[in-house]
Amino acid sequence: MHNGAMQALYDGDLPYFRFTHFPEDGVQSHAVFTRHGGVSPAPFDSLNLSVSVPDSRDNVYANRARAYGIFGRDTGSVVHAHLVHGADVAQVTRADDGTWRAHFDGLITDEPGCALTMNYADCAPIFIYDPARRAIGLGHAGWQGAVRDLPGALVRAMQAAFGSRPADLLAAVGPSIGPCCYEVGEPVVGQVRARFSGAASLLHDNGGPRPHFDLPGANRQRLLDAGVRQIQMSGICTACRTDLFFSHRAEKGTTGRFGVIFMLS
Ligand SMILES: [Zn+2]
């Protein structure tokens, strides 16, 4: 599969995607894993990377060894985050390897060798690469993260910590639930109307009684508002593509979490 934004690759029998506008410059490496290539049984089949769902820890650790192993890493040599749908961002280093940063939905680093990971099932992965400052940021933004402006918080944290200039940044928004599938009610509608100046364009009338929220579009808007101009969108809806990704909504809460890794060489 190659939809322009993301290129499908394989490491042995493990499929993953990379964003095509992130240069293969030897500075950063990244992968968006799918649900395939792991050892977990249904409903976590098969590359579930999260211990927050009732899959066995042995399976999750075996899956992490397979996934992070494409870059020579394992669960103890990457930085994890305990996600809470907030907008707080932590700066991390290799001293954080194997640990879980609690209550952060954004991680940033400029330390060579540092690898950031997060897990998703409908919320959007946010990647930010600063080729000028050789720094990276990774985020997790569902509707709450979009409303609270996690993408903008990531950009501002990189400006403060590394002197990043928004015009230099390359951003990418990974697979998430799309406006095709994300019917919402309150409090989402009220929060989006209160917190987005362009709310009308983010709440789509699909002909039903309730609007559909454009989560990837909302995250893109937050990045634009923070001054980022180079943004690549995956164009993939997790709820449409449960053949490829886990979807909390489409699978009614009983599913796994796919993962991403973003690291500096
Ligand atoms: Zn969809």
Side-chain angles (χ1 to χ4, degrees):
M1 177 175 172
H2 194 308
N3 67 359
M6 296 207 307
Q7 173 186 17
L9 298 165
Y10 282 86
D11 184 88
D13 61 356
L14 185 92
Y16 64 98
F17 290 95
R18 67 173 295 275
F19 287 99
T20 54
H21 88 157
F22 281 23
E24 296 188 81
D25 55 7
V27 177
Q28 60 76 37
S29 305
H30 70 279
V32 176
F33 300 105
T34 73
R35 67 185 299 161
H36 298 299
V39 301
S40 297
F44 312 112
D45 49 321
S46 61
L47 194 72
N48 168 49
L49 293 173
S50 176
V51 294
S52 72
V53 296
D55 189 6
S56 89
R57 184 167 291 260
D58 286 349
N59 287 343
V60 173
Y61 278 51
N63 289 338
R64 288 178 179 165
R66 287 182 177 214
Y68 307 152
I70 71 171
F71 296 136
R73 299 306 174 93
D74 202 342
T75 194
S77 51
V78 300
V79 183
H80 309 259
H82 179 76
L83 308 169
V84 293
H85 301 283
D88 289 331
V89 178
Q91 182 177 355
V92 299
T93 68
R94 294 217 65 182
D96 298 292
D97 276 0
T99 68
W100 283 256
R101 296 304 298 254
H103 311 299
F104 288 98
D105 287 79
L107 297 175
I108 61 171
T109 188
D110 68 347
E111 183 169 276
C114 195
L116 313 177
T117 65
M118 287 187 187
N119 303 320
Y120 308 85
D122 290 342
C123 292
I126 311 290
F127 291 78
I128 301 178
Y129 173 42
D130 182 346
R133 302 293 182 184
R134 298 193 166 211
I136 56 175
L138 180 64
H140 163 269
W143 76 265
Q144 295 177 88
V147 162
R148 293 173 176 148
D149 195 13
L150 180 278
L154 263 183
V155 172
R156 289 184 287 276
M158 292 177 72
Q159 290 178 270
F162 313 130
S164 295
R165 294 173 300 191
D168 290 334
L169 301 179
L170 301 174
V173 179
S176 74
I177 192 166
C180 40
C181 294
Y182 199 13
E183 183 180 300
V184 293
E186 295 299 337
V188 182
V189 172
Q191 287 289 311
V192 170
R193 286 193 176 130
R195 301 288 288 274
F196 281 94
S197 56
S201 67
L202 299 175
L203 292 166
H204 297 191
D205 178 359
N206 287 40
R210 305 203 303 173
H212 286 211
F213 179 45
D214 183 354
L215 175 63
N219 281 315
R220 180 174 177 277
Q221 188 60 54
R222 290 307 200 201
L223 290 165
L224 287 168
D225 289 346
V228 181
R229 290 293 171 266
Q230 304 173 82
I231 306 168
Q232 195 164 35
M233 307 297 293
S234 79
I236 295 177
C237 169
T238 45
C240 285
R241 296 303 306 269
T242 53
D243 60 316
L244 271 178
F245 295 100
F246 297 111
S247 170
H248 188 269
R249 171 68 67 99
E251 298 175 280
K252 299 182 169 44
T254 306
T255 190
R257 301 287 181 271
F258 67 90
V260 309
I261 185 169
F262 195 13
M263 64 181 283
L264 288 170
S265 298

